[in-house]
């Protein structure tokens, strides 16, 4: 698995994705769970990051357990939970999605923002999926998003520049990518500068290797891990079938 989300990137993470509508994504998660299950109380959030899905879902009354490999990301999640004005049912653990063991079952699990894609080898994908299945009750739901192979190959990665205003200046992020089509991997390079008062206050680089998936390949992984596919839809337009314009897809499966 990638060694990513160290302190430099984790400290800038929420600012970088401040334009991502987590509340709308939580609306979608909640609707999908409500439409496909009679009762969901407990949710396991694997790769919870700084808590941007975890906290809104907990504020809606669910019991949340969040897992992340990066202690730097978890530190931000813990800080957010501590600052909440009212109590929520949240438990946070540092752990690896490939070998986690909590010795309990959940009604549902989520793995959002392409967390499964950080599992690069077949054995890593299967280990992560077996972890999810081991922690779900029979009939429990698992919702996750991944990069969609047909769209990745059609659109190809390109260089992107993002400028994020901050209260002291701005963050500049330059990203670029390259494909390893034989391994279904896109390697993304990030270079971040934190600018304050027209000077570089901090600088960090990271490379994130991301696996992309094709439908039959994904179904095979899921079936080998004890899941029955329910739907693979575009993300966030879940009712729309994915195509070559759909870089991100959302999968709903059920534990059998």
């Amino acid at each position: 698995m990638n060694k990513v989300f160290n302190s430099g990137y984790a400290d800038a993470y929420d600012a970088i994705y401040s334009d991502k509508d987590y509340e709308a994504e939580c609306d979608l998660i909640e609707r999908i769970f409500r439409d496909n299950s009679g009762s969901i109380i407990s949710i396991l959030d694997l790769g919870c990051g700084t808590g941007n899905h975890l906290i809104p879902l907990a504020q809606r009354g669910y019991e949340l357990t969040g897992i992340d490999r990066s202690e730097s990301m978890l530190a931000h999640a813990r800080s957010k939970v501590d600052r909440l004005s009212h109590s929520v049912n949240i438990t946070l653990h540092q752990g690896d999605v490939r070998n986690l063991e909590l010795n309990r079952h959940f009604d549902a699990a989520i793995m959002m923002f392409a967390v499964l894609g950080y599992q690069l080898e077949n054995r890593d994908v299967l280990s992560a999926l077996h972890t999810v299945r081991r922690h779900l009750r029979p009939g429990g739901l698992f919702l996750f998003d991944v990069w969609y192979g047909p769209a990745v190959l059609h659109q190809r990665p390109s260089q992107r520049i993002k400028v994020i205003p901050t209260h002291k200046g701005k963050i500049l992020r330059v990203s670029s990518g390259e494909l390893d089509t034989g391994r279904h991997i896109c390697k993304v390079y990030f270079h971040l500068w934190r600018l304050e008062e027209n000077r570089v206050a901090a600088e960090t680089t990271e490379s994130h290797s991301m696996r992309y998936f094709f439908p039959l390949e994904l179904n095979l992984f899921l079936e080998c891990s004890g899941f029955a596919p329910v739907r693979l839809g575009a993300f966030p337009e879940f009712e729309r079938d994915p195509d070559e314009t759909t870089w991100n897809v959302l999968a709903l499966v059920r534990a059998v």
Side-chain angles (χ1 to χ4, degrees):
M1 184 187 291
N2 300 315
K3 294 182 179 178
V4 295
F5 299 115
N6 293 314
S7 59
Y9 198 88
D11 290 347
Y13 185 87
D14 284 337
I16 292 170
Y17 296 107
S18 60
D19 57 347
K20 185 174 171 66
D21 195 342
Y22 287 99
E23 287 289 346
E25 291 185 12
C26 288
D27 289 342
L28 177 60
I29 292 168
E30 193 172 31
R31 178 173 61 80
I32 291 172
F33 283 164
R34 184 176 58 247
D35 291 346
N36 291 275
S37 177
S39 176
I40 289 180
I41 297 172
S42 58
I43 301 174
L44 176 62
D45 185 351
L46 292 156
C48 67
T50 64
N52 292 326
H53 294 104
L54 177 109
I55 292 172
L57 288 171
Q59 289 174 321
R60 300 175 188 210
Y62 299 98
E63 172 199 339
L64 267 293
T65 297
I67 309 296
D68 206 277
R69 191 166 183 259
S70 167
E71 182 55 46
S72 297
M73 297 286 276
L74 280 175
H76 287 279
R78 291 191 183 101
S79 178
K80 291 178 187 177
V81 173
D82 291 343
R83 294 197 304 268
L84 292 177
S85 59
H86 59 280
S87 62
V88 290
N89 195 340
I90 292 176
T91 304
L92 295 170
H93 300 280
Q94 184 179 19
D96 191 318
V97 298
R98 296 171 297 179
N99 53 32
L100 178 73
E101 185 52 73
L102 298 177
N103 296 306
R104 62 160 295 187
H105 291 114
F106 295 82
D107 300 321
I110 60 175
M111 194 181 279
M112 300 301 293
F113 218 168
V115 169
L116 189 64
Y118 283 92
Q119 322 310 312
L120 303 182
E121 305 298 333
N122 289 345
R123 62 179 178 273
D124 297 323
V125 175
L126 287 170
S127 293
L129 292 175
H130 281 300
T131 292
V132 181
R133 179 61 190 89
R134 195 165 58 246
H135 288 87
L136 281 179
R137 60 170 173 79
L141 296 178
F142 175 37
L143 189 65
F144 62 97
D145 67 294
V146 294
W147 290 5
Y148 188 56
V152 173
L153 295 185
H154 178 71
Q155 297 181 34
R156 318 290 292 189
S158 60
Q159 185 180 76
R160 298 184 179 185
I161 299 174
K162 188 171 186 177
V163 180
I164 306 100
T166 66
H167 66 284
K168 292 185 178 181
K170 59 186 175 182
I171 294 171
L172 174 65
R173 186 188 74 171
V174 177
S175 60
S176 60
E178 60 184 27
L179 294 181
D180 181 343
T181 57
R183 297 178 63 213
H184 297 180
I185 289 173
C186 177
K187 192 165 188 178
V188 184
Y189 302 94
F190 294 108
H191 198 156
L192 274 74
W193 295 267
R194 185 184 294 274
L195 305 175
E196 297 178 2
E197 299 177 352
N198 296 319
R199 65 179 182 85
V200 177
E203 181 179 357
T204 188
T205 59
E206 286 199 1
S207 63
H208 294 206
S209 293
M210 300 293 298
R211 182 162 179 165
Y212 49 90
F213 295 88
F214 296 85
L216 292 180
E217 167 195 31
L218 193 57
N219 281 346
L220 180 60
F221 281 132
L222 291 164
E223 290 168 5
C224 289
S225 305
F227 290 102
V230 176
R231 173 159 178 79
L232 183 69
F235 183 49
E237 304 90 1
F238 188 56
E239 287 72 25
R240 181 168 67 86
D241 291 335
D243 56 31
E244 291 182 343
T245 68
T246 315
W247 191 285
N248 294 88
V249 292
L250 189 63
L252 175 67
V253 300
R254 191 182 303 275
V256 296

